[in-house]
Amino acid sequence: MDHKVTLHDKTFKLFIPNEKIEKAIDAVAERLNADYADATDEDPLVLLCTLNGAIIFAAELLKRLSFPIVLKACKLSSYQGTQSTGSIKTEVPLPAHLEGRRVIIVEDIVDTGNTIEALTGLLKAAKVRDCKVCTLLVKPEVYKKDVKLDYVAMEIPNRFIVGFGLDYDELGRNIKDIYVLDE
Ligand code: IMP
Ligand code: MG
């Protein structure tokens, strides 16, 4: 197995192997299955996948969820290279008809929280009935916002990572393990 990868001008080393990621997703899915057992075909949970980073996490979650659920997506962006820019752009707007629905935001990673704060604000304005956050990763040393992170699969230190959907300037999403910037 190759333990280092180079993307653009940077080298990354193996950080979280796929098996460990999948186990963490199993645990989150188990909690969701318990918490949303009351969802029905008439009132399914809306899983809102944040493009592009959360695609793989959302797919792995979906495979494990056993209650009525519909898949939607939107895209906000704040990152350039390895830095959060603080200004949020809406690249794919929220889906229509969210009023009165229960929504779970599926994120790849919460860093400064600028993105999740903006997105929960948009969902509130769309008059959803309930909005929860499910993220594969969080960097607790950096996250200082008030938005509650209801379902967190894994916590990591303040390092820049790629793989399992996460990118460095669009490369690295297809790596099945998570790699960290080798500094
Ligand atoms: P925030 O708005 O600062 O919380 O940043 C959230 C978004 O930035 C995530 O959804 C990712 O797309 C991206 N991001 C944050 N940290 C990383 C990282 O370590 N690697 C790759 N992308 C990241
Ligand atoms: Mg993202």
Side-chain angles (χ1 to χ4, degrees), residues 122-142:
L122 291 174
L123 286 167
K124 211 175 232 175
K127 299 197 177 81
V128 301
R129 177 163 107 242
D130 183 53
C131 171
K132 296 260 183 325
V133 177
C134 176
T135 185
L136 178 64
L137 298 148
V138 62
K139 298 177 185 171
E141 292 160 27
V142 193

Side-chain angles (χ1 to χ4, degrees), residues 59-79:
E60 289 298 327
L61 256 188
L62 271 176
K63 283 156 63 177
R64 293 164 169 80
L65 298 179
S66 51
F67 50 85
I69 188 162
V70 295
L71 175 64
K72 301 283 178 189
C74 68
K75 183 172 184 181
L76 303 186
S77 72
S78 70
Y79 248 67

